[in-house]
Amino acid sequence: AQKITQTQPGMFVQEKEAVTLDCTYDTSDPSYGLFWYKQPSSGEMIFLIYQGSYDQQNATEGRYSLNFQKARKSANLVISASQLGDSAMYFCAMRESSGNNRLAFGKGNQVVVIP
Amino acid sequence: GAVVSQHPSWVICKSGTSVKIECRSLDFQATTMFWYRQFPKQSLMLMATSNEGSKATYEQGVEKDKFLINHASLTLSTLTVTSAHPEDSSFYICSAKGMTGGRSPLHFGNGTRLTVT
């Protein structure tokens, strides 16, 4: 069964605007962590932001923020003030406490920032 | 920050040969390393979990005799694609987790693009 779902088609976003990337997840584990990674065309995976299942506040890291809605099992990434360098694939991932530190990835969202 | 070095970044080999990919944690000790495979425009699929000093744990459907994993030290894991075939052509990427707590992310290498001719 798919643990992480990212279903949005490729997105074009205007430079300096905000973009929201959707991610829903499925787990019965009460303790888990959610991650967002950025993968530019060069292939490296860049860690962006983390949200723990017990965290009371939504995570923020610079221009990245996470809209965590636990009851709905969603962890959407918001990128504010988009820059041309934000063009990349974005992957949502989950690590369950019962999962031996393994990360399960979604299928990714393609974002293209246009000037 | 934590750095994971993966080598080579790309390799072209002939069908039937073997290819070794190295994954090193440069500034931290990695008790566990993970090997992923990614086809073009697709997600990362976990192949195996490599624990230092013990046998790797392979995901369902991954041939352990095909993809040999060795994690001989706390800073080095290797993936050997044995008797490579064109269908093994893919992007292979390793990741490592340090000894810090559960909030720490996996740190990824830059990946290896394997082309088998």
Side-chain angles (χ1 to χ4, degrees), chain B residues 4-63:
Chain B
V4 175
S5 173
Q6 187 171 341
H7 179 81
S9 55
W10 60 270
V11 58
I12 301 172
C13 71
K14 290 188 174 181
S15 189
T17 61
S18 296
V19 174
K20 180 186 281 189
I21 302 169
E22 292 187 348
C23 181
R24 294 180 184 273
S25 55
L26 296 185
D27 52 358
F28 67 102
Q29 292 184 323
T31 54
T32 304
M33 290 186 174
F34 303 89
W35 287 95
Y36 288 86
R37 181 175 183 175
Q38 185 180 31
F39 290 107
K41 299 193 184 300
Q42 294 192 24
S43 186
L44 281 72
M45 300 301 298
L46 180 64
M47 298 174 66
T49 302
S50 169
N51 294 300
E52 186 267 335
S54 63
K55 288 184 178 181
T57 303
Y58 290 82
E59 295 298 303
Q60 192 172 10
V62 177
E63 300 175 59

Side-chain angles (χ1 to χ4, degrees), chain A residues 35 37 39 41-45 47 50-52 55 89 91 95 100-108 110, chain B residues 32 34 36 38 41-44 46 49 51 59 91 93 97 101-110 113:
Chain A
F35 302 79
Y37 284 85
Q39 187 180 41
S41 57
S42 51
E44 72 265 33
M45 294 290 284
F47 166 70
Y50 168 85
Q51 181 83 47
D55 291 346
M89 282 290 289
F91 291 95
R95 179 165 69 204
N100 195 26
N101 290 313
R102 293 149 65 203
L103 273 187
F105 284 86
K107 294 188 175 182
Q110 178 75 55
Chain B
T32 304
F34 303 89
Y36 288 86
Q38 185 180 31
K41 299 193 184 300
Q42 294 192 24
S43 186
L44 281 72
L46 180 64
T49 302
N51 294 300
E59 295 298 303
F91 186 67
I93 190 165
K97 185 181 183 304
R103 300 181 69 88
S104 64
L106 289 185
H107 304 287
F108 284 82
N110 285 348
R113 202 164 298 278

Side-chain angles (χ1 to χ4, degrees), chain B residues 66-78:
Chain B
K66 172 78 170 173
F67 300 99
L68 300 179
I69 291 172
N70 185 283
H71 193 157
S73 76
L74 284 171
T75 59
L76 174 64
S77 176
T78 61

